[in-house]
Amino acid sequence: MNSDLNITNSIFKGFNDNNGLMICGYEHGHSIADQERDKNTTSPFHNTELECTFSNQTPRYGEVAKTWPYQKTIKKWFRSWGFPLDENGLGGKLEKSIILTNWANTQGHKMGIETKISSKLLADEQVDNFLLHIESFRPRVLLLMGSQLIHCLNNKKVISSFETIVGKRVSIAKSIQQDVEEGRRFKVYFQEFHKKAGDHCQVVCFPHPSGSIGLRDGYIAQYKKLMAPIISQFC
């Protein structure tokens, strides 16, 4: 497997190495709190020799992994869809089917405004980074975490190469909103890609789990009927 891969959990053959469930964010987070912690420790930030899943990254990163808002929120979403993830051991089929990565190979704590996000993600280096991961893992399901990612995916700089790997677009990305009694309504995008041989890739794009102001876990829970058949493929 290519050493340039930007992944934060282990590869499990037969599960997430091919036809798995890829979770893809903007870039690897490195919050102000993370930076302060790193200043005050001489120990390695992580040990890539240790096996870990997305849902339990403590073997590799330590107890601090349990506090990361991005991962915590995504795990809440899975639970709300009826798929609680094992946060202690290596889990089973579903846990091993997930691979966590990011579109960009950079590290930061704030992506910036939408126009700057797109400009950064559509830089040649970052497009190549994203496509490298799609080529390497060929996910059956791609969960994009950040509203700008679906637009970047369908940008002319990306889409033809993406289709070459996973198959042609069945349709344009369709946005679905849920009703709310309070708080904001957000769009969640669904898009499918198919190859003649029958292989497919289901793409779902969510608002950013830890960076979307006003996003409630209860709102995302309302997508359970749509997400359950998508996630259940890996159980």
Side-chain angles (χ1 to χ4, degrees):
M1 194 64 75
N2 195 304
S3 61
D4 293 330
L5 291 173
N6 168 35
I7 55 176
T8 56
N9 62 284
S10 302
I11 298 171
F12 297 94
K13 290 195 70 174
F15 294 98
N16 61 4
D17 60 331
N18 197 268
N19 284 315
L21 191 163
M22 178 180 285
I23 298 174
C24 179
Y26 287 131
E27 65 179 348
H28 179 66
H30 197 225
S31 69
I32 299 298
D34 292 335
Q35 295 171 40
E36 288 302 314
R37 186 194 66 246
D38 292 348
K39 287 179 185 177
N40 298 319
T41 181
T42 56
S43 61
F45 179 61
H46 63 269
N47 183 349
T48 56
E49 298 300 315
L50 298 176
E51 278 195 328
C52 75
T53 61
F54 157 73
S55 54
N56 179 22
Q57 294 180 284
T58 55
R60 184 174 292 185
Y61 301 96
E63 291 297 308
V64 70
K66 295 178 180 178
T67 70
W68 292 336
Y70 178 79
Q71 283 87 338
K72 283 177 66 176
T73 300
I74 295 173
K75 285 185 277 187
K76 282 184 190 176
W77 291 358
F78 271 76
R79 196 177 309 124
S80 73
W81 299 329
F83 301 92
L85 297 172
D86 185 343
E87 298 184 45
N88 296 306
L90 292 178
K93 196 174 175 183
L94 174 56
E95 288 81 4
K96 290 185 175 74
S97 294
I98 299 172
I99 195 79
L100 182 65
T101 188
N102 294 287
W103 183 292
N105 59 14
T106 51
Q107 184 179 54
H109 64 274
K110 190 175 182 181
M111 280 296 289
I113 61 174
E114 291 182 0
T115 52
K116 290 185 178 179
I117 293 174
S118 296
S119 176
K120 181 174 185 175
L121 297 178
L122 292 173
D124 290 346
E125 179 183 356
Q126 305 312 336
V127 170
D128 289 345
N129 179 71
F130 171 69
L131 292 172
L132 167 65
H133 289 75
I134 299 301
E135 175 71 45
S136 298
F137 294 100
R138 296 177 179 266
R140 191 189 320 163
V141 171
L142 173 61
L143 302 185
L144 298 173
M145 298 296 171
S147 59
Q148 292 303 302
L149 291 173
I150 193 68
H151 305 300
C152 290
L153 174 64
N154 285 277
N155 185 278
K156 62 183 180 181
K157 286 191 69 172
V158 182
I159 191 61
S160 60
S161 296
F162 185 80
E163 286 182 303
T164 298
I165 300 168
V166 305
K168 294 293 184 181
R169 283 178 286 188
V170 175
S171 63
I172 61 171
K174 178 183 179 182
S175 66
I176 297 176
Q177 289 181 297
Q178 302 290 348
D179 294 328
V180 293
E181 292 184 2
E182 59 179 336
R184 290 180 57 190
R185 294 177 75 205
F186 288 82
K187 293 179 179 179
V188 173
Y189 293 86
F190 292 80
Q191 190 169 21
E192 287 191 55
F193 297 77
H194 284 268
K195 278 190 171 179
K196 289 181 180 179
D199 292 339
H200 70 279
C201 179
Q202 171 80 56
V203 177
V204 186
C205 181
F206 292 96
H208 194 275
S210 59
S212 300
I213 297 172
L215 180 63
R216 296 170 180 264
D217 294 333
Y219 182 79
I220 297 299
Q222 293 183 83
Y223 289 90
K224 181 176 181 178
K225 287 185 178 179
L226 292 170
M227 293 305 299
I230 294 173
I231 306 298
S232 63
Q233 301 175 70
F234 303 100
C235 296

